[in-house]
Amino acid sequence: RSNDDDPWVLVSEDDGDTWTSLRANLPAGSTRVIREDHLNEDVLYLGTEFGAWVSIDRGLSWGELSGEFPTVAVHDFALHPTLPEVVLATHGRSLWILDVTPIRQMTEEVREKQTWLFDPADVRRAVRRGMERGASGTRRFVGEDPEDDATIYYLLRSKAKAVKLTIADPSGEILRELEAPDQSGLHRVAWDLRRAARTGERGSRGRSLPAGRYKILLEVDGSRLEQDITLEDEVPSSEAMGRAASLDDPLGAKHE
């Protein structure tokens, strides 16, 4: 704030004896916070006065978080200890959660590949039993449940002639084929944890698959990549359900 709009971002690898600038391709604008990923030290998250930036090569170059993320000051980052998620704290535009699965796995080896299928996060599917019972009207409070989807990421360095993305069981039987773009770039595909609809089944959607381990298969112009994904059912404990039931009537009033 002293007529200096340069982004001051530096790193020391020798406990502060010497410092190296990480400005690289950052535009003018003051910086507020920088965090190193706890699983990949080459991944850096940078909060500035005018948005957020990410580096996958330890500050040699930066990419801006765009899309739906607003041009707003980013004051801090919180890295989830177990999930591949980073929370961005802004001033006046709420909290934003970023899935960093492909960013965290974007190693030097991956950056040299023409095609890559990223290791997906395992899915915990919430099994809700009796959570909406109790009083209705003003005493009934029900939030919006998250979608029970698995997120699959893959990378194409150039446009492909043919791309096929399928889900299989451990024996290799194909259960579902998903729509897969063939354009160059990083692609995100959501799988609703269902198999393909069988002949004679009601409706256009297949049945939900049971908990277990499945395979994700990506075929691109004759090459094939594979990753495993685990689906778990997370049943609410009796203690948690008891607390939820007690919230139906926090005043303990009797109803007739």
Side-chain angles (χ1 to χ4, degrees):
R1 301 184 183 278
S2 301
N3 296 322
D4 184 355
D5 292 330
D6 288 339
W8 286 94
V9 188
L10 304 102
V11 63
S12 175
E13 306 287 2
D14 53 13
D15 296 326
D17 288 342
T18 59
W19 293 84
T20 303
S21 173
L22 300 181
R23 174 172 181 172
N25 60 312
L26 289 172
S30 57
T31 53
R32 289 186 169 273
V33 60
I34 185 169
R35 293 283 183 266
E36 179 185 288
D37 191 88
H38 59 258
L39 294 183
N40 185 346
E41 63 180 12
D42 288 335
V43 174
L44 305 177
Y45 308 99
L46 179 69
T48 75
E49 189 69 25
F50 306 109
W53 296 72
V54 176
S55 174
I56 59 175
D57 51 19
R58 201 161 177 78
L60 296 179
S61 62
W62 295 91
E64 184 179 11
L65 291 182
S66 53
E68 297 181 358
F69 189 74
T71 302
V72 64
V74 176
H75 289 237
D76 205 354
F77 296 96
L79 279 66
H80 196 286
T82 58
L83 298 178
E85 296 176 346
V86 171
V87 182
L88 292 75
T90 72
H91 189 72
R93 295 297 295 272
S94 191
L95 300 173
W96 293 72
I97 301 176
L98 174 67
D99 183 350
V100 295
T101 296
I103 296 174
R104 181 171 283 169
Q105 297 179 36
M106 196 71 72
T107 62
E108 184 176 355
E109 176 190 2
V110 173
R111 297 197 295 270
E112 295 176 351
K113 298 291 186 180
Q114 290 297 312
T115 305
W116 191 260
L117 176 62
F118 293 92
D119 186 9
D122 293 337
V123 180
R124 288 187 177 181
R125 180 173 52 191
V127 178
R128 305 167 185 92
R129 298 176 179 174
M131 299 299 288
E132 296 185 4
R133 64 186 179 185
S136 59
T138 58
R139 294 188 181 278
R140 185 171 181 268
F141 183 87
V142 179
E144 182 179 351
D145 294 322
E147 295 292 335
D148 287 329
D149 287 345
T151 304
I152 302 169
Y153 293 95
Y154 66 91
L155 178 68
L156 300 178
R157 290 294 179 188
S158 58
K159 181 176 171 31
K161 296 179 181 179
V163 177
K164 187 176 182 180
L165 183 62
T166 54
I167 307 297
D169 65 12
S171 68
E173 179 186 355
I174 301 299
L175 303 174
R176 178 82 175 272
E177 181 172 352
L178 305 172
E179 292 187 10
D182 59 4
Q183 301 295 322
S184 62
L186 177 65
H187 297 287
R188 177 183 183 274
V189 177
W191 171 42
D192 60 5
L193 311 182
R194 295 175 179 270
R195 65 177 303 147
R198 292 177 173 176
T199 303
E201 285 185 340
R202 295 181 179 180
S204 58
R205 302 177 68 189
R207 293 184 178 182
S208 295
L209 290 168
R213 197 166 184 85
Y214 298 91
K215 293 182 179 296
I216 300 173
L217 309 175
L218 176 66
E219 298 178 54
V220 179
D221 295 342
S223 64
R224 172 169 163 158
L225 298 172
E226 179 180 316
Q227 292 284 4
D228 291 333
I229 185 170
T230 300
L231 170 60
E232 300 177 354
D233 287 336
E234 189 173 37
V235 181
S237 65
S238 57
E239 179 182 353
M241 292 182 64
R243 289 198 302 268
S246 67
L247 290 176
D248 289 336
D249 194 353
L251 300 180
K254 297 181 179 180
H255 301 278
E256 297 181 355

